[in-house]
Amino acid sequence: KNEVEQSPQNLTAQEGEFITINCSYSVGISALHWLQQHPGGGIVSLFMLSSGKKKHGRLIATINIQEKHSSLHITASHPRDSAVYICAVRNTDKLIFGTGTRLQVFP
Amino acid sequence: GAVVSQHPSWVICKSGTSVKIECRSLDFQATTMFWYRQFPKQSLMLMATSNEGSKATYEQGVEKDKFLINHASLTLSTLTVTSAHPEDSSFYICSAQKTGFLSNQPQHFGDGTRLSIL
């Protein structure tokens, strides 16, 4: 079993839909990252959080430390949100990555 | 702020060639840089952690003589794939962090280098 599990692996949505991507982890962490990887490969850091909730534009990230679970929400999804979303947790001296969720938003 | 530039973005070369990939932090000093490898539709795998002015720490299974890492300044780390073979073909991506890892600073990623060995 992977130390960081994401669900779903693949997700398709219609433009405007509300999207949720989940991340569960089994190790102790000091922080959790949500990353966005576009088809060209470049990675953008969306959030780093260790408790509670953060919001940036249409993106919201939450984390429940007791349940070892985080969610990434996208409101009013748009085709430009199509990408792979990766959850990564910081454990001691390294990041442990989930396998990613491939999101496609259709017009 | 916090821009990381990786160069080249794409390399095709013959088997046996050595390839150098650069990772630069453009607007901040990076004490620590990380090198990752990613196979198609798989997650990132950490290859090594480099700290400015000291030897890199390699992950288990990564050949240090094959993947040479140099972090000679606070803004530049290089990864050299020596005597590259087709099985080294992959997507390599670096990240940089402003201070020591345990200070909980975020990592800032480069755009990656797609390496194809013929």
Side-chain angles (χ1 to χ4, degrees):
Chain A
K1 193 175 187 294
N2 292 333
E3 293 167 306
V4 180
E5 296 273 0
Q6 280 184 243
S7 64
Q9 287 189 325
N10 295 283
L11 184 56
T12 57
Q14 210 67 35
E15 183 173 358
E17 285 185 6
F18 180 83
I19 288 162
T20 296
I21 300 171
N22 295 300
C23 175
S24 296
Y25 54 92
S26 57
V27 294
I29 70 168
S30 57
L32 182 144
H33 298 253
W34 280 103
L35 309 170
Q36 182 191 53
Q37 186 170 30
H38 280 280
I43 290 177
V44 174
S45 180
L46 299 175
F47 295 104
M48 184 179 80
L49 64 166
S50 54
S51 65
K53 177 179 173 178
K54 286 190 176 181
K55 184 177 189 294
H56 186 255
R58 295 181 294 107
L59 302 178
I60 302 166
T62 63
I63 187 168
N64 185 317
I65 297 294
Q66 287 73 29
E67 294 185 4
K68 294 190 173 181
H69 181 269
S70 176
S71 293
L72 175 69
H73 305 286
I74 305 175
T75 61
S77 60
H78 190 276
R80 64 175 175 266
D81 296 326
S82 299
V84 176
Y85 292 83
I86 302 170
C87 170
V89 301
R90 179 168 292 184
N91 174 259
T92 58
D93 62 344
K94 62 182 68 173
L95 285 181
I96 305 172
F97 295 84
T99 52
T101 295
R102 189 172 300 272
L103 171 65
Q104 286 187 296
V105 182
F106 294 98
Chain B
V3 178
V4 175
S5 172
Q6 195 172 331
H7 178 81
S9 56
W10 189 39
V11 179
I12 300 177
C13 58
K14 291 182 179 179
S15 185
T17 309
S18 290
V19 178
K20 181 186 279 189
I21 303 169
E22 293 187 348
C23 180
R24 291 180 187 273
S25 54
L26 297 186
D27 52 0
F28 66 99
Q29 292 187 327
T31 307
T32 306
M33 289 187 174
F34 303 87
W35 287 96
Y36 298 92
R37 183 173 182 175
Q38 186 180 35
F39 291 104
K41 298 193 177 180
Q42 293 189 24
S43 193
L44 282 75
M45 289 175 46
L46 179 65
M47 298 175 67
T49 303
S50 72
N51 290 294
E52 184 267 337
S54 62
K55 287 185 180 179
T57 303
Y58 289 81
E59 294 300 299
Q60 193 171 11
V62 178
E63 299 174 58
K64 58 181 69 174
D65 294 331
K66 173 76 171 175
F67 299 99
L68 300 178
I69 291 172
N70 184 281
H71 191 160
S73 79
L74 285 171
T75 59
L76 174 65
S77 176
T78 60
L79 168 69
T80 301
V81 183
T82 61
S83 187
H85 290 280
E87 58 266 28
D88 298 323
S89 298
S90 189
F91 186 70
Y92 294 86
I93 191 164
C94 72
S95 70
Q97 188 171 290
K98 288 184 185 179
T99 58
F101 189 90
L102 292 177
S103 69
N104 233 15
Q105 287 288 322
Q107 292 186 27
H108 305 283
F109 290 84
D111 285 337
T113 297
R114 196 160 302 279
L115 176 63
S116 296
I117 308 298
L118 304 178

